[in-house]
Amino acid sequence: MLEIKNLHVSVDGREILKGIDLVVPTGEVHAIMGPNGSGKSTLSYTIAGRDGYEVTAGEILFKGEDIVGMSADERAAKGVFLAFQYPMEIPGVATMTFLKTALNAQRKARGEGEMSTPDFMRLVREKSALLKVTQDMLKRPLNVGFSGGEKKRNEVLQMALLEPSLCVLDETDSGLDIDALKVVSEGVNALRSPDRSMIVITHYQRLLDHIVPDVIHVLSKGRIVKTGGKELAHELEAKGYADFVEDAA
Amino acid sequence: MAAPSTVRRTPAEDALIERFGAVRAELPGSAEVAGWREAAFERFAEAGLPHRRVEAWKYTDLKRLMASAAPVAAPVADLSGVAAMDLLAGVERHRLVFVNGRFAPALSDAGLPEGVAVTTIAEALGAGDKAVADALAAASAPIAEDAAVALNTAFLSDGAVIRIAAAAAVATPIEIANVFAGAEAGAATLRHLVVLGADASADVIETFAGPDLAYETNALTALDLGLGARLGYTRLQAEGGSALHLGTVSARIAASANLQLFNLMIGAAVARAQVFFAFEGEGGNLDIRGATLGDDRQHADVTLMVDHAVPHCTSTETLKAVLGGEARAVFQGNILVRQHAQHTDARMMLNALLRSETAEFDAKPELEIYADDVQCAHGATSGALDENLLFYLLSRGIPRAEAEELLIVAFLGQVLQEIPNETVAAAVSGLVESWLAARRGTK
Ligand SMILES: Nc1ncnc2c1ncn2[C@@H]1O[C@H](COP(=O)(O)OP(=O)(O)O)[C@@H](O)[C@H]1O
Ligand SMILES: [Mg+2]
């Protein structure tokens, strides 16, 4: 599904990612853990195609195709999805309008017809129930005045509606209490499928008790310094990042 | 004719002098009307077109922007093309259509809503109607010094006088459509009067549309609201892309009256909409909102003069501009709070969204406050679309052009959503969206 080779990324002329190699096979869930500032969000933005994240070397193969030169909307239409660490608030755009515009834009890019309003409403109702996203939230301007938990549930709702092949979740657990964490994790787990891969980025092991990964990578100072199974999370929890960071140094 | 001013006359000024000489004898009205037309033109000829050293016209230098002046527009025999220039197709309303400065009964709705009486100005002046002549004179008397007003007084050929009876609640909006048609550029000069009796309530929409010709529209609309009356006045300027539009709204409202004014500027090469507003009784409320969309080399000026002469009135002005290409938008807002106007609440906010490096936004919000117990505030901002928000939309698969349009419509939402009457509001949003879509891919 995703194959990242020797990826170097600079932001404002400063190198943040310094040679990442990462392979996420179809159907697998990989976690990326690392201390603050290690480059987790930079990696997720680079995969999603944000302007200003300059790939100075390496490639990102998605379903075998290099997507480095593609715009963010092209990547999205091909099946890349980023759940933001800090979802944007957009006053004046109703959440429902946004969801419909996004879904139809992707369908159009794939040469499919627009979804009718009744079909769309039915789909949204079905997907939002699982994530406890209320009708009232859907009517409000996108993320405006949403609590931290509501914003994250809204991110996962978008993921459920758009049905991407690759989901990158950037610290989806940050700012969530335990109940909200459960709702969000259930939503994510419901989307696990043999056809879909996920990269779950987190600072804490807690999330990985709920979304159990197949593989864990540790990111430090723009490099992957360790890769292992799910037990790595507990090791990290017990010892802290310091050991790994030093191992790499 | 007045002696030439010290400054050399421009070709447009020469053409205007020639135009007045050519048509003065044919313009409708009694000898008295002809007298005030002469006086107004004299005033104009004396001062010439306004230029950058005339404070109120500082950013809209007509001496420079008006290369020539067209002759008075000829009537058009074939009105078949006019229907296509309906900005509000599908909206239920009562239409009064003026083509090239003349009432077009064939295109207008017969029969009027209850409580509404309409006279046309050419007809009234032709019949020597003294009351209409006096009302026309009164509408421009306090603002006679303004050049666009002087030209309007000199050349006005027709317009609607709409009277809403006291206590009448008119549910269907009334549209005054000012259309330019034909293949020859010309100048149309209109004056409309809208008078609401005490406690009357109505919605009036004024539209401006025309082909891509260098024609000129000079329209002055006077709004007069009686005690406790409510008027929603929506002004949609979507002139042809080469037109010159000089629009004036002169409004006075009595105690406890409520005027909600929306002004859209999307057309014309050079446009100015100036609003002169006066509170004449306590408890009045004015809400002005506006959206200016500009591209290429469009120049659009919105100038507001709000006079708080009496206590306990509120006014809010919220104007937004979206500018691309080398477009230039001007927002001037002058709020005068006189010494006796205690407990005035006046707020003005001017915001611009710049889509190119070469677009220009000139904002001049001014508060002149002589009373001490008032709440007043003003502000102006300008900036580009937020790249962070754009990325969020792009990351969901929304292409850039569409994402930008979504954010622009959101930016304008605060003014578009408040347009009185839902179907009209939807039609105006449609105008804005198609304006944006038509310019897709040109950025
Ligand atoms: N827009 C930016 N401009 C400059 N430096 C940035 C920018 N975004 C992040 N950085 C820097 O890049 C490094 C990695 O940041 P980030 O990817 O956000 O880390 P993480 O998500 O792991 O906390 C940090 O040193 C941060 O200060
Ligand atoms: Mg981060």
Side-chain angles (χ1 to χ4, degrees):
Chain A
M1 178 69 69
L2 183 74
E3 208 174 326
I4 294 177
K5 296 180 186 166
N6 186 35
L7 183 68
H8 290 254
V9 174
S10 293
V11 181
D12 291 335
R14 190 178 137 215
E15 185 162 77
I16 309 285
L17 301 184
K18 300 167 180 165
I20 302 259
D21 290 286
L22 177 68
V23 178
V24 183
T26 304
E28 288 191 8
V29 174
H30 286 214
I32 295 182
M33 301 185 71
N36 280 330
S38 57
K40 303 185 297 295
S41 291
T42 302
L43 176 62
S44 64
Y45 287 144
T46 306
I47 295 171
R50 186 172 193 157
D51 283 349
Y53 288 73
E54 195 196 344
V55 176
T56 54
E59 50 189 17
I60 305 173
L61 301 178
F62 175 64
K63 297 180 185 168
E65 187 182 12
D66 192 352
I67 58 171
V68 167
M70 286 181 197
S71 61
D73 57 306
E74 284 176 275
R75 298 183 199 197
K78 285 186 182 289
V80 176
F81 182 92
L82 168 63
F84 282 56
Q85 180 173 1
Y86 303 108
M88 305 292 169
E89 297 187 7
I90 309 192
V93 177
T95 304
M96 193 68 112
T97 309
F98 162 74
L99 295 175
K100 190 158 187 259
T101 308
L103 182 69
N104 280 329
Q106 293 204 10
R107 290 174 67 101
K108 197 169 150 201
R110 292 192 294 259
E112 298 161 21
E114 282 200 3
M115 188 178 277
S116 74
T117 302
D119 285 351
F120 173 75
M121 298 301 281
R122 208 170 303 125
L123 186 68
V124 171
R125 215 167 341 190
E126 175 199 318
K127 305 282 187 192
S128 53
L130 179 64
L131 286 153
K132 299 195 165 62
V133 170
T134 60
Q135 286 299 309
D136 175 59
M137 278 169 69
L138 295 171
K139 280 187 206 138
R140 274 151 57 189
L142 185 57
N143 291 326
V144 177
F146 284 26
S147 68
E150 285 174 332
K151 283 181 184 167
K152 296 299 173 80
R153 268 146 55 199
N154 193 21
E155 291 293 289
V156 180
L157 169 63
Q158 292 167 41
M159 200 162 97
L161 275 172
L162 298 171
E163 301 186 310
S165 324
L166 173 68
C167 306
V168 181
L169 295 102
D170 190 2
E171 298 208 26
T172 297
D173 52 336
S174 69
L176 296 187
D177 60 29
I178 188 70
D179 292 329
L181 183 66
K182 277 185 185 152
V183 174
V184 166
S185 306
E186 269 173 42
V188 173
N189 285 330
L191 290 170
R192 289 181 82 145
S193 129
D195 306 323
R196 181 173 290 134
S197 307
M198 294 188 185
I199 297 176
V200 180
I201 293 174
T202 183
H203 187 71
Y204 303 103
Q205 159 268 332
R206 182 180 75 154
L207 176 69
L208 304 181
D209 290 340
H210 297 272
I211 305 171
V212 181
D214 299 300
V215 179
I216 295 179
H217 307 274
V218 180
L219 188 67
S220 170
K221 295 177 183 159
R223 286 193 182 87
I224 288 177
V225 292
K226 182 146 183 125
T227 294
K230 55 178 177 271
E231 63 291 344
L232 194 53
H234 296 280
E235 211 177 306
L236 275 168
E237 185 76 356
K239 293 204 236 162
Y241 286 110
D243 283 7
F244 294 91
V245 175
E246 263 143 48
D247 280 358
Chain B
M1 206 58 30
S5 57
T6 48
V7 192
R8 204 142 63 105
R9 280 207 289 261
T10 65
E13 286 163 346
D14 283 334
L16 286 165
I17 289 167
E18 198 176 309
R19 185 209 282 175
F20 191 65
V23 298
R24 62 206 287 189
E26 296 153 35
L27 290 164
S30 60
E32 186 194 347
V33 171
W36 49 251
R37 287 184 190 277
E38 295 282 345
F41 195 77
E42 196 93 351
R43 234 182 348 258
F44 165 76
E46 180 72 29
L49 286 167
H51 48 84
R52 64 197 158 77
R53 284 187 305 279
V54 176
E55 190 58 26
W57 288 80
K58 183 174 170 179
Y59 300 102
T60 300
D61 183 339
L62 280 188
K63 260 195 205 298
R64 193 176 54 77
L65 289 167
M66 208 174 154
S68 60
V72 168
V76 273
D78 178 15
L79 295 174
S80 57
V82 175
M85 288 190 277
D86 183 358
L87 301 179
L88 296 171
V91 173
E92 195 200 340
R93 73 234 124 115
H94 186 91
R95 293 196 94 193
L96 300 167
V97 182
F98 292 81
V99 180
N100 293 14
R102 290 168 189 82
F103 184 54
L107 299 173
S108 302
D109 292 328
L112 289 162
E114 208 172 304
V116 180
V118 173
T119 322
T120 60
I121 282 166
E123 199 177 38
L125 289 182
D129 188 326
K130 171 97 169 98
V132 166
D134 288 349
L136 287 171
S140 52
I143 49 175
E145 292 308 313
D146 181 81
V149 172
L151 286 172
N152 187 277
T153 304
F155 288 104
L156 73 95
S157 60
D158 207 348
V161 181
I162 302 174
R163 288 200 176 81
I164 318 279
V170 183
T172 311
I174 301 167
E175 181 192 356
I176 305 171
N178 303 272
V179 183
F180 198 90
E184 294 291 319
T189 307
L190 297 125
R191 183 171 297 186
H192 308 290
L193 307 180
V194 178
V195 183
L196 277 80
D199 296 318
S201 166
D203 291 294
V204 171
I205 308 161
E206 199 168 348
T207 56
F208 297 89
D212 190 10
L213 278 179
Y215 69 92
E216 296 158 28
T217 302
N218 182 323
L220 188 156
T221 304
L223 312 173
D224 189 346
L225 277 65
L227 213 65
R230 182 206 71 87
L231 176 67
Y233 174 73
T234 300
R235 192 175 193 282
L236 309 176
Q237 186 277 102
E239 305 270 23
S242 306
L244 168 71
H245 175 95
L246 297 177
T248 303
V249 177
S250 161
R252 3 185 267 180
I253 76 172
S256 304
N258 195 321
L259 174 62
Q260 197 178 349
L261 192 158
F262 174 81
N263 181 52
L264 177 72
M265 304 277 268
I266 54 174
V270 175
R272 164 142 161 148
Q274 49 182 7
V275 178
F276 298 91
F277 181 90
F279 286 104
E280 300 197 330
E282 296 189 13
N285 182 39
L286 167 69
D287 181 24
I288 299 184
R289 291 175 203 246
T292 294
L293 279 72
D295 200 10
D296 303 323
R297 308 200 55 176
Q298 280 182 290
H299 177 107
D301 174 338
V302 176
T303 293
L304 311 174
M305 310 288 265
V306 177
D307 186 349
H308 280 269
V310 292
H312 293 286
C313 292
T314 62
S315 70
T316 55
E317 294 83 27
T318 315
L319 301 179
K320 295 188 181 263
V322 177
L323 304 170
E326 293 170 58
R328 184 174 185 193
V330 176
F331 285 155
Q332 300 188 102
N334 181 281
I335 302 179
L336 169 63
V337 183
R338 294 182 193 260
Q339 202 174 347
H340 299 293
Q342 301 295 6
H343 306 288
T344 287
D345 190 322
R347 285 155 211 277
M348 172 160 45
M349 183 49 88
L350 316 173
N351 307 112
L353 193 55
L354 304 178
R355 302 183 75 192
S356 74
E357 300 276 314
T358 45
E360 188 179 328
F361 174 57
D362 298 301
K364 201 175 78 170
E366 285 179 314
L367 289 173
E368 256 183 90
I369 305 173
Y370 300 101
D372 48 24
D373 188 9
V374 298
Q375 300 261 352
C376 294
H378 68 72
T381 67
S382 74
L385 281 173
D386 186 332
E387 281 298 327
N388 296 320
L389 302 190
L390 268 174
F391 172 62
Y392 192 59
L393 298 175
L394 292 176
S395 77
R396 299 308 183 239
I398 303 172
R400 183 167 270 271
E402 232 179 297
E404 288 185 2
E405 285 163 28
L406 208 56
L407 292 181
I408 291 169
V409 171
F411 169 75
L412 295 175
Q414 197 190 355
V415 290
L416 294 181
Q417 279 160 13
E418 297 300 323
I419 294 173
N421 187 308
E422 263 178 45
T423 56
V424 176
V428 176
S429 291
L431 283 176
V432 167
E433 279 159 31
S434 36
W435 190 94
L436 291 169
R439 280 154 187 82
R440 236 182 230 182
T442 61
K443 292 278 97 56

